[in-house]
């Protein structure tokens, strides 16, 4: 999902001509084993298929029956193409040899100076120096483009571009190839699907240049270079830097101001893998899409098969359970938390107004020095702020207990947000005093607030409807008011009614902001351990994540004003800890064949299976298995059934990636109303890279009014410093998830 401008956006396409209303864009999946040997390339085969389905129709430009229009040929993350067809042409296509499935193109929902301090990255020790700050690892950013002039994309001190890179810096509107460098090594853009969807669409900036801001922000969080003096109008001042400040960035723009569609997204993913990226970060997705229709899940499977890790956002539809996007086992699913940057005055309050202070020199026209007090909810606070901007009030005090009320940094007038408890004090003072007075001060950033971090209420919750046997999300990273690069020609703030302000850096919120944190850290782990698979990298980050806040208590979440301990359905394994992830001790690895076996065990038709796994010719499906060597555990029960105890067994394999021989003992914390047994309880490794199996059995009792309950298994190394933690969750399975 995306954090700009802090509302959930869907792109809808309006006004297609009557001609296009009778036609549609389809994403077509093919079995490549049917490709005749006569064709030298897959593009030749795809063009031949299109030629065979042409309905008798004139070929002139004035024709009311245009021929099928091939948009993209895909061959890296999936095999097939996207094409504009009539209904009759589509029916003819379905009879083509090798046809598996096809789905109409659809709109895609788009889901840091101080953020880097939370993972405790240190230039002298830990993951940064171990990975060379991500040197030569390539992160592909799938988003709204890039503002190449930003200081976050300078290439000072970087070596030559890695020889494995095969991508381009594509010129276009207000963008030439000289804008790429040794940091921003590639820029490409894809909008054929958008243009085909609506004949009235005119792309204003037909290039990789970012006119939205979201892509620039995400790219700089993942791998922005060091830049001193960054701030958002005085807030969060310091040195801006991405998670992997020496990693290379390749930008693939598929999201335009005019719209965002699936066919362009898949084209971007397909090209990124062909170009040689190591990591992909994507902050877009859908909710409630079947696995075999979820193009991001399908393309991510193809990327995983080629060794590319895909980091994707969980979405911004929380805090209800089962709202998670991108929840398949082969995607690294990222939730968001707030690290809490606050203004602190006499009362606990929050404000991110770009004003220096509340005084007569305020630039707001006709501002009076009166302050209005407003009761606010999550829904109406921004409407209140906008209304006050159009009024004669100089400032406001907003009373709200909504935990993410400042998820947006829309603060057009001086104002602060306080809790209802503190609001009673303010109202009492204002109503009883003869001449009540108040003052508001700004630009004071505090990063030592306790308790912190806290899971953001907007962050989507698991379990994943796509696959219920894996606990999702996987991990949580900072996603609330993150400072990162911003285009200089896109407004960063507004004061009053129509005074717009620019800034080279901006604070944004969303799981969009959390996802590139994980992509950047994954890039550094890839740099430190080039032989690790995507599953190994994910395991290292999950088993070393911290489930505790800065008061050494379980990380909390506030859902509809109720504060409770977060479960792994809220935060995954916990807050990422990069310095521990570089040396995790044990990992839960998985091979591409393991994921194929998983698909084999699902209730998929042959064509649905091949849609995801591509041609089955190279894959062995003789051993279907729902076994997944995942670094977490989930057991679901039906709260409506009458039973006493249920039992579920899991098998796992861990690999010793420590320096040599090691011995580990199990330490178990069972979820409420559950018992956990482990066999064996001790794992002995004689050498590095040795594997050992164990089984974990959960016996649990479903209680109708129970919510999700968390526990864990921690493998503790004897006479060593490694602890390897896996979360366990027991939760009610709603009917919609079955």
């Amino acid at each position: 999902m995306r954090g700009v401008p802090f509302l959930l956006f869907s792109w809808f396409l309006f006004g297609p001509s009557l001609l296009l209303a009778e036609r549609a864009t389809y994403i077509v999946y093919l079995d490549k084993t049917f490709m005749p040997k006569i064709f030298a390339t897959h593009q030749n085969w795809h063009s031949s298929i299109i030629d065979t389905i042409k309905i008798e129709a004139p070929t002139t430009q004035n024709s009311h029956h245009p021929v099928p229009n091939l948009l993209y040929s895909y061959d890296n993350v999936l095999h097939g193409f996207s094409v504009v067809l009539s209904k009759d042409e589509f029916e003819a296509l379905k009879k083509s040899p090798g046809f598996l499935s096809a789905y109409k193109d659809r709109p895609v929902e788009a889901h840091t100076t101080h953020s880097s301090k939370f993972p405790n990255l240190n230039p002298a020790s830990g993951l940064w120096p171990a990975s060379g700050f991500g040197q030569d690892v390539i992160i592909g950013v799938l988003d709204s483009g890039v503002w190449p002039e930003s200081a976050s994309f300078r290439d000072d001190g970087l070596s030559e571009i890695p020889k494995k890179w095969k991508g381009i810096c594509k010129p276009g509107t207000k963008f030439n190839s000289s804008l790429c460098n040794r940091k921003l090594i590639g820029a490409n853009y894809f909008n054929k699907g958008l243009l085909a969807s609506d004949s009235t669409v005119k792309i204003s900036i037909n290039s990789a240049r970012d006119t939205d801001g979201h892509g620039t922000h995400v790219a700089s969080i993942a791998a922005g270079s060091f830049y001193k003096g960054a701030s958002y109008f005085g807030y969060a001042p310091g040195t801006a830097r991405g998670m992997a400040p020496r990693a290379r960035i390749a930008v693939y723009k598929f999201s335009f101001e005019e719209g965002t569609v699936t066919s362009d997204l898949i084209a971007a993913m397909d090209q990124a893998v062909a170009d040689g990226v190591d990591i992909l970060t994507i902050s877009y997705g859908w909710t409630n899409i079947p696995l075999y229709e979820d193009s991001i899940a399908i393309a991510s499977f193809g990327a995983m098969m080629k060794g590319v890790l895909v980091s994707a956002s969980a979405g911004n539809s929380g805090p209800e359970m089962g709202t998670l996007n991108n929840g398949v086992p082969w995607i690294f699913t990222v939730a968001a938390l707030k690290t809490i940057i606050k203004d602190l005055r006499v009362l606990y309050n929050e404000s991110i107004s770009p004003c220096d202070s509340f005084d007569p020199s305020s630039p707001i026209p006709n501002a009076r020095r009166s302050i209005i007090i407003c009761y606010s909810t999550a829904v109406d606070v921004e409407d209140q702020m906008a209304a006050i901007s159009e009024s004669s009030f100089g400032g406001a005090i907003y009373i709200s207990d909504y935990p993410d009320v400042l998820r947006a940094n829309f603060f057009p007038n001086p104002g602060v947000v306080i809790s209802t408890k503190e609001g009673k004090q303010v109202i009492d003072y204002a109503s009883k005093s003869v001449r009540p007075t108040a003052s508001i001060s700004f630009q004071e950033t505090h990063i030592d607030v306790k308790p912190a971090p806290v899971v953001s209420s907007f962050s989507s919750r698991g379990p994943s409807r796509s696959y219920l046997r894996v606990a999702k999300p996987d991990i949580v990273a900072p996603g609330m008011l993150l400072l990162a690069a911003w285009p200089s020609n896109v407004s960063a703030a507004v004061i009053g009614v129509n005074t717009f302000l620019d800034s080279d850096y901006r604070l944004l919120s969303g799981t969009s902001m959390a996802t590139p944190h994980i992509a950047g850290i994954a890039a550094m782990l890839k740099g430190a351990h080039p032989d690790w698979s995507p599953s190994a990298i994910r395991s290292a980050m999950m088993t070393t994540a911290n489930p505790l806040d800065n008061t050494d208590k379980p990380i909390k979440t506030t859902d509809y004003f109720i504060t409770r301990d977060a479960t792994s359905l809220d935060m995954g394994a916990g807050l990422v800890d990069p310095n521990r992830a570089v040396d995790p001790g044990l990992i839960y690895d998985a091979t591409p064949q393991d994921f194929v076996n998983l698909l084999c065990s699902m209730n998929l038709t042959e064509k649905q299976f091949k849609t995801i796994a591509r041609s089955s010719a190279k894959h062995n499906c003789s051993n279907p298995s729902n076994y997944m060597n995942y670094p977490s555990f989930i057991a679901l029960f039906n709260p409506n059934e009458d039973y006493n105890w249920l039992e579920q067994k899991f098998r796992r394999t861990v690999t010793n990636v420590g320096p040599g021989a090691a011995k580990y003992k199990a330490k178990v914390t069972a979820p409420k109303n559950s018992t956990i047994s482990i066999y064996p309880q001790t794992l002995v490794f004689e050498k590095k890279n040795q594997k050992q199996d164990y089984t974990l059995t959960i016996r649990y009792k479903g209680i109708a009014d129970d919510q999700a309950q968390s526990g864990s298994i921690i493998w503790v190394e004897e006479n060593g410093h490694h602890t390897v933690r896996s979360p366990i969750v027991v939760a009610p399975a709603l009917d919609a998830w079955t």
Side-chain angles (χ1 to χ4, degrees):
M1 310 297 285
R2 65 188 295 159
V4 184
F6 306 102
L7 297 174
L8 179 62
F9 280 97
S10 297
W11 293 102
F12 295 96
L13 308 174
F14 298 101
S17 66
L18 178 61
L19 175 64
L20 283 181
E22 297 172 353
R23 305 176 70 80
T25 300
Y26 294 87
I27 298 174
V28 181
Y29 299 87
L30 301 173
D31 185 341
K32 196 176 180 180
T33 60
F34 281 80
M35 186 177 84
K37 294 182 180 180
I38 191 175
F39 296 114
T41 67
H42 62 280
Q43 292 97 333
N44 297 145
W45 183 37
H46 298 166
S47 297
S48 174
I49 293 174
I50 298 300
D51 290 339
T52 63
I53 64 171
K54 289 179 180 177
I55 307 299
E56 292 184 4
T59 58
T60 64
Q61 290 184 347
N62 294 327
S63 168
H64 293 289
H65 301 283
V67 298
N69 180 18
L70 180 65
L71 302 179
Y72 299 108
S73 287
Y74 310 123
D75 194 44
N76 294 286
V77 296
L78 57 86
H79 190 83
F81 54 82
S82 52
V83 61
V84 179
L85 299 172
S86 68
K87 290 183 179 179
D88 289 339
E89 291 164 346
F90 177 62
E91 290 302 315
L93 170 68
K94 289 162 64 175
K95 301 174 184 178
S96 301
F99 176 85
L100 292 174
S101 59
Y103 303 100
K104 284 187 178 181
D105 206 2
R106 58 165 61 94
V108 186
E109 297 175 355
H111 298 138
T112 63
T113 58
H114 292 287
S115 67
S116 62
K117 291 187 178 180
F118 254 82
N120 296 317
L121 288 167
N122 188 312
S125 62
L127 182 55
W128 261 356
S131 67
F133 295 79
Q135 179 82 22
D136 291 347
V137 181
I138 303 171
I139 301 175
V141 180
L142 302 164
D143 216 288
S144 65
V146 67
W147 191 258
E149 294 86 356
S150 170
S152 288
F153 306 124
R154 292 177 179 172
D155 63 356
D156 301 348
L158 288 177
S159 60
E160 293 301 315
I161 295 173
K163 293 182 179 180
K164 65 181 179 181
W165 174 243
K166 302 181 183 68
I168 63 172
C169 190
K170 186 176 181 179
T173 308
K174 297 183 179 180
F175 197 106
N176 59 65
S177 58
S178 65
L179 292 172
C180 291
N181 56 24
R182 290 171 297 183
K183 162 60 72 173
L184 180 63
I185 64 173
N188 209 332
Y189 58 98
F190 305 84
N191 54 32
K192 291 179 182 178
L194 174 60
L195 293 171
S197 68
D198 186 347
S199 64
T200 67
V201 167
K202 303 296 181 184
I203 303 294
S204 59
I205 302 295
N206 195 34
S207 72
R209 181 168 291 280
D210 187 6
T211 59
D212 174 276
H214 190 262
T216 299
H217 202 270
V218 165
S220 65
I221 291 175
S225 300
F226 290 89
Y227 174 67
K228 294 182 180 180
S231 75
Y232 176 74
F233 303 105
Y235 293 96
T239 298
R241 54 187 178 269
M243 292 296 101
R246 296 182 70 84
R248 314 308 174 108
I249 297 172
V251 168
Y252 298 84
K253 179 180 178 179
F254 69 92
S255 179
F256 290 76
E257 288 186 278
E258 293 80 9
T260 305
V261 296
T262 304
S263 56
D264 294 332
L265 166 56
I266 302 309
M269 293 185 73
D270 198 67
Q271 188 62 55
V273 172
D275 289 345
V277 302
D278 300 294
I279 309 292
L280 280 174
T281 181
I282 179 168
S283 297
Y284 294 72
W286 304 274
T287 303
N288 299 335
I289 297 293
L291 173 57
Y292 50 85
E293 292 185 29
D294 187 335
S295 296
I296 293 179
I298 295 168
S300 296
F301 190 91
M304 175 274 300
M305 296 290 283
K306 292 179 179 291
V308 177
L309 183 146
V310 179
S311 172
S313 53
N316 297 343
S317 300
E320 291 87 356
M321 293 176 67
T323 54
L324 183 127
N325 296 348
N326 300 317
V328 290
W330 49 87
I331 289 180
F332 204 166
T333 314
V334 186
L337 51 75
K338 52 184 177 181
T339 53
I340 310 182
I341 298 177
K342 295 181 181 298
D343 269 21
L344 300 178
R345 275 329 235 180
V346 177
L347 291 177
Y348 166 90
N349 60 73
E350 301 181 64
S351 174
I352 308 181
S353 172
C355 303
D356 292 331
S357 62
F358 178 44
D359 56 44
S361 64
S362 170
I364 303 172
N366 303 317
R368 286 165 41 189
R369 297 195 66 188
S370 55
I371 298 177
I372 187 172
I373 301 173
C374 304
Y375 280 101
S376 304
T377 67
V379 176
D380 64 15
V381 64
E382 289 196 11
D383 291 338
Q384 290 177 345
M385 291 178 179
I388 290 169
S389 290
E390 298 175 359
S391 72
S392 58
F393 287 99
I397 297 173
Y398 304 95
I399 300 174
S400 176
D401 286 328
Y402 183 66
D404 294 335
V405 70
L406 279 186
R407 170 183 165 192
N409 56 358
F410 176 73
F411 235 108
N413 271 51
V416 293
V417 179
I418 62 177
S419 69
T420 53
K421 179 180 179 181
E422 293 154 345
K424 293 178 182 178
Q425 302 175 41
V426 172
I427 292 174
D428 185 64
Y429 165 73
S431 60
K432 293 181 180 179
S433 299
V434 177
R435 292 179 60 86
T437 61
S439 62
I440 304 173
S441 298
F442 304 98
Q443 297 181 339
E444 295 187 16
T445 301
H446 294 252
I447 59 174
D448 55 353
V449 178
K450 294 184 178 181
V454 177
V455 177
S456 301
S457 65
F458 64 76
S459 186
S460 293
R461 277 24 179 202
S464 167
R465 297 174 188 264
S466 296
Y467 187 72
L468 293 171
R469 292 180 178 271
V470 170
K472 289 281 183 171
D474 294 313
I475 206 160
V476 69
M480 184 80 166
L481 296 175
L482 272 298
L483 186 72
W486 192 252
S488 60
N489 71 336
V490 179
S491 175
V494 59
I495 55 176
V497 178
N498 57 6
T499 302
F500 296 94
L501 304 178
D502 297 334
S503 174
D504 292 333
Y505 289 82
R506 184 178 180 182
L507 296 165
L508 295 184
S509 300
T511 52
S512 288
M513 283 62 252
T515 302
H517 280 82
I518 298 305
I521 295 168
M524 290 190 290
L525 286 174
K526 184 69 175 179
H529 300 284
D531 58 328
W532 278 10
S533 69
S535 292
I537 292 172
R538 172 171 52 194
S539 172
M541 294 170 71
M542 288 180 65
T543 60
T544 57
N546 189 355
L548 305 179
D549 62 23
N550 57 5
T551 67
D552 288 330
K553 301 291 186 181
I555 291 175
K556 300 290 192 296
T557 182
T558 302
D559 302 347
Y560 301 120
F561 314 115
I562 299 175
T563 299
R564 59 174 177 81
D565 291 351
T567 73
S568 57
L569 298 183
D570 306 309
M571 66 172 184
L575 174 61
V576 60
D577 187 339
N579 292 330
R580 290 191 60 219
V582 74
D583 181 21
L586 305 176
I587 58 171
Y588 296 78
D589 204 357
T591 67
Q593 185 61 48
D594 291 332
F595 289 100
V596 173
N597 293 343
L598 185 69
L599 290 180
C600 294
S601 71
M602 296 182 185
N603 188 26
L604 299 171
T605 67
E606 181 181 0
K607 288 191 173 183
Q608 289 169 349
F609 170 81
K610 290 183 178 180
T611 294
I612 303 168
R614 301 205 288 180
S615 169
S616 62
K618 297 181 180 179
H619 303 313
N620 177 11
C621 214
S622 61
N623 185 30
S625 173
N626 59 19
Y627 161 73
M628 191 73 252
N629 198 35
Y630 218 77
S632 61
F633 301 85
I634 183 170
L636 300 176
F637 64 86
N638 189 336
N640 299 318
E641 291 185 3
D642 184 17
Y643 52 74
N644 292 321
W645 290 88
L646 291 179
E647 182 176 290
Q648 192 165 341
K649 289 187 177 182
F650 304 83
R651 178 173 63 88
R652 293 292 188 267
T653 301
V654 287
T655 304
N656 176 28
V657 293
K663 184 178 182 180
Y664 287 83
K665 286 191 174 181
K667 177 182 177 182
V668 174
T669 301
K672 181 182 177 182
N673 300 319
S674 302
T675 62
I676 304 291
S677 60
I678 306 293
Y679 182 82
Q681 296 185 352
T682 301
L683 300 177
V684 179
F685 300 89
E686 298 177 353
K687 58 184 178 180
K688 185 176 182 178
N689 294 326
Q690 184 180 356
K691 300 179 183 294
Q692 294 284 8
D693 295 339
Y694 73 90
T695 59
L696 180 147
T697 303
I698 304 176
R699 295 187 70 243
Y700 51 101
K701 184 175 184 179
I703 300 176
D705 59 354
D706 252 6
Q707 298 300 309
Q709 302 292 338
S710 276
S712 66
I713 173 175
I714 304 176
W715 288 102
V716 181
E717 184 182 10
E718 288 189 350
N719 303 318
H721 66 282
H722 295 111
T723 56
V724 186
R725 180 182 180 274
S726 291
I728 302 169
V729 63
V730 176
L734 302 183
D735 292 341
W737 300 346
T738 57

